[in-house]
């Protein structure tokens, strides 16, 4: 559903050209490997129908989603793409894998058996990825299961093993001891599946050099301008969120703002109210209280702190330092030097959660 600017609390702009530039940057950092694109969770909140084709135009040929519903949406706009479903085999949706040419990432013996049986039924050796767990303990065969599966030779499986992959648990934390262990274990796995392409690296993994590269890299968050390593600046921001001020009010020293009266004015202050709240994915934890500083917005070119708790549909910004602000002036909540990671930090979370939680009530604009 598209929402008109006149009926929305804020305008959310997705910069597809920035996503394309970020894609090319990462592809340039990982030469020798194919650079896929992870577009699960509605392309990290940016919109799979628009972001998918933009990434394809930038050169991406292989895409990863989490659910069959996402694969179906992507297939409609990217007819040529190779599409993998990371969360494995959805047995109620088996037909999709054959009819829409979608590949499951098989992560357990049950899934391998079910998909093998399906391939025998349709008499086609359909392609799939094999997920091997090397330290995440979430999805994937363990090393012994992977060895057993490989024993008759990958050519003798009932499905076509098109990719063997694993996922890094801690690559965003430089120097974490688990990362070299996972890299090492995955080299062993590769040895079990000669001739099958391999994939290890998420965004952070793309910075780890040749040993982590293998044949295909799988960046997600870096494409969308989120922080992917604790010690590195993110790539270009792709999201701008701008909300018109719906009211400006003066509060005297000692007066409080919002639920719980958790913020009191240190002196005569001017407060701007905007129509964005936690129901729009602007997390309540990013609010400001007398004891905790919160996120900021840019108003009239000045970075202004939030004042008080974030409500469901509203938030308050202390614009005392921003000069004369009137109803209708724009407050930039994301963009213009304020990143998704800044809001995440104020809320005690990560940029991924801010992006994937971007609200459904905004007037959405796609910039090319
Ligand atoms: C989400 C995901 C990615 C992408 O991770 P980023 O940290 O966003 O780059 C890659 N591989 C798997 C298996 C994933 O679940």
């Amino acid at each position: 559903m598209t929402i008109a600017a006149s009926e929305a609390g804020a305008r959310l702009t997705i910069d597809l050209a920035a996503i394309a530039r970020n894609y090319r940057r990462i592809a340039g950092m990982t030469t020798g490997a194919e650079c896929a694109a992870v577009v699960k969770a509605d392309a990290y909140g940016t919109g799979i129908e628009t972001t998918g084709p933009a990434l394809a135009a930038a050169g991406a040929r292989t895409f990863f989603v989490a659910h069959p519903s996402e694969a179906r949406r992507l297939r409609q706009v990217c007819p040529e793409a190779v599409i993998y479903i990371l969360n494995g085999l959805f047995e109620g949706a088996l037909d999709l894998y054959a009819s829409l040419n979608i590949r499951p990432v098989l992560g357990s013996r049950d899934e391998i058996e079910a998909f093998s049986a399906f391939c025998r039924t349709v008499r086609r050796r359909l392609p799939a990825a094999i997920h091997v767990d090397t330290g995440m303990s979430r999805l994937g065969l363990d090393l012994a299961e992977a060895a057993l599966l490989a024993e008759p030779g990958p050519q003798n499986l009932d499905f076509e093993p098109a990719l063997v992959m694993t996922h890094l648990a801690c690559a965003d934390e430089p120097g974490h001891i688990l990362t070299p262990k996972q890299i090492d274990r995955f080299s062993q796995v590769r040895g079990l599946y000669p001739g099958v392409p391999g994939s290890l690296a998420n965004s952070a993994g793309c910075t780890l050099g040749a040993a982590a590269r293998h044949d295909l890299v799988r960046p997600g968050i870096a494409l969308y301008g989120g922080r992917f390593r604790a010690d590195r600046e993110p790539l270009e921001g792709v999201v701008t969120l701008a909300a018109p001020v719906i009211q400006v009010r003066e509060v005297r020293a000692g007066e409080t703002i919002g639920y719980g009266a958790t913020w009191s004015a240190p002196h005569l202050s001017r407060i701007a109210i905007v129509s964005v709240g936690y129901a729009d994915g602007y997390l309540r934890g990013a609010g400001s209280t007398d004891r905790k500083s919160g996120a900021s917005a840019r108003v009239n070119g000045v970075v202004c702190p939030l004042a008080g708790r974030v409500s469901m549909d509203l938030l308050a910004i202390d614009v005392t330092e921003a000069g004369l602000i009137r109803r209708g002036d724009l407050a930039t909540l994301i963009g213009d030097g304020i990143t998704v990671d800044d809001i995440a930090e104020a809320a005690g979370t990560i940029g991924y959660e801010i992006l994937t939680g971007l609200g459904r009530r905004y007037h959405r604009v796609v910039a090319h």
Side-chain angles (χ1 to χ4, degrees):
M1 187 175 64
T2 57
I3 296 179
S6 57
E7 298 185 357
R11 185 186 64 218
L12 180 74
T13 308
I14 309 295
D15 187 345
L16 295 182
I19 293 176
R21 284 191 292 274
N22 288 343
Y23 174 83
R24 288 192 212 100
R25 278 276 296 282
I26 302 164
M29 280 159 47
T30 54
T31 46
E34 180 190 339
C35 187
V38 180
V39 293
K40 61 195 179 190
D42 203 20
Y44 290 53
T46 64
I48 197 167
E49 277 87 3
T50 43
T51 295
L55 284 163
R61 284 173 283 132
T62 302
F63 293 80
F64 290 85
V65 296
H67 294 188
S69 65
E70 299 172 327
R72 186 185 291 284
R73 284 169 63 192
L74 183 63
R75 176 57 78 218
Q76 270 173 5
V77 291
C78 292
E80 306 294 329
V82 173
I83 303 174
Y84 284 100
I85 296 179
L86 287 168
N87 287 17
L89 193 70
F90 287 66
E91 290 189 45
L94 276 177
D95 202 35
L96 180 98
Y97 300 97
S99 63
L100 291 184
N101 189 20
I102 308 285
R103 303 179 177 190
V105 176
L106 304 171
S108 68
R109 284 192 322 214
D110 284 348
E111 289 184 349
I112 296 210
E113 274 168 30
F115 194 62
S116 300
F118 178 64
C119 288
R120 289 192 297 268
T121 307
V122 298
R123 295 171 187 278
R124 284 170 65 193
R125 216 165 157 257
L126 296 167
I130 299 169
H131 192 164
V132 182
D133 178 44
T134 55
M136 182 83 172
S137 301
R138 193 174 64 174
L139 297 175
L141 303 175
D142 64 31
L143 295 179
E145 289 171 328
L148 204 61
L149 179 70
E151 223 156 64
Q155 314 76 12
N156 298 319
L157 293 165
D158 289 326
F159 62 92
E160 180 205 331
L163 188 70
V164 58
M165 60 166 270
T166 194
H167 189 42
L168 294 167
C170 307
D172 55 324
E173 293 177 44
H176 197 290
I177 54 159
L178 186 53
T179 304
K181 282 188 191 158
Q182 289 195 272
I183 291 175
D184 191 49
R185 287 175 192 152
F186 191 57
S187 307
Q188 296 172 35
V189 172
R190 290 296 308 281
L192 299 170
Y193 293 90
V196 179
S199 177
L200 164 77
N202 57 355
S203 298
C206 291
T207 66
L208 296 176
R213 217 164 279 164
H214 295 272
D215 301 299
L216 184 83
V217 294
R218 308 187 308 272
I221 191 73
L223 302 171
Y224 309 105
R227 186 176 290 282
F228 54 99
R229 247 180 84 149
D231 60 343
R232 290 218 187 181
E233 285 309 306
L235 303 184
E236 213 178 318
V238 309
V239 169
T240 310
L241 179 63
V245 171
I246 61 170
Q247 183 169 138
V248 184
R249 52 198 306 133
E250 288 207 328
V251 294
R252 288 189 301 274
E255 279 191 290
T256 62
I257 292 175
Y259 285 118
T262 56
W263 187 93
S264 46
H267 42 66
L268 181 67
S269 303
R270 276 195 313 281
I271 303 297
I273 309 294
V274 297
S275 269
V276 172
Y278 61 76
D280 300 295
Y282 197 99
L283 297 181
R284 185 170 175 274
S288 150
T289 69
D290 286 334
R291 263 167 274 118
K292 166 187 173 293
S293 60
S296 302
R298 192 180 289 273
V299 189
N300 199 20
V302 178
V303 175
C304 301
L306 298 198
R309 286 189 184 153
V310 175
S311 304
M312 184 188 292
D313 315 292
L314 295 164
L315 57 83
I317 306 163
D318 179 358
V319 294
T320 312
E321 306 297 326
L324 182 62
I325 303 301
R326 292 197 195 80
R327 172 175 162 83
D329 288 351
L330 283 183
T332 302
L333 303 179
I334 304 174
D336 210 0
I338 296 170
T339 67
V340 289
D341 290 289
D342 292 336
I343 299 174
E345 197 179 321
T349 182
I350 53 176
Y352 295 73
E353 195 174 3
I354 303 297
L355 282 169
T356 57
L358 285 170
R360 299 282 167 254
R361 291 195 291 193
Y362 299 129
H363 170 58
R364 284 195 173 225
V365 179
V366 175
H368 294 269

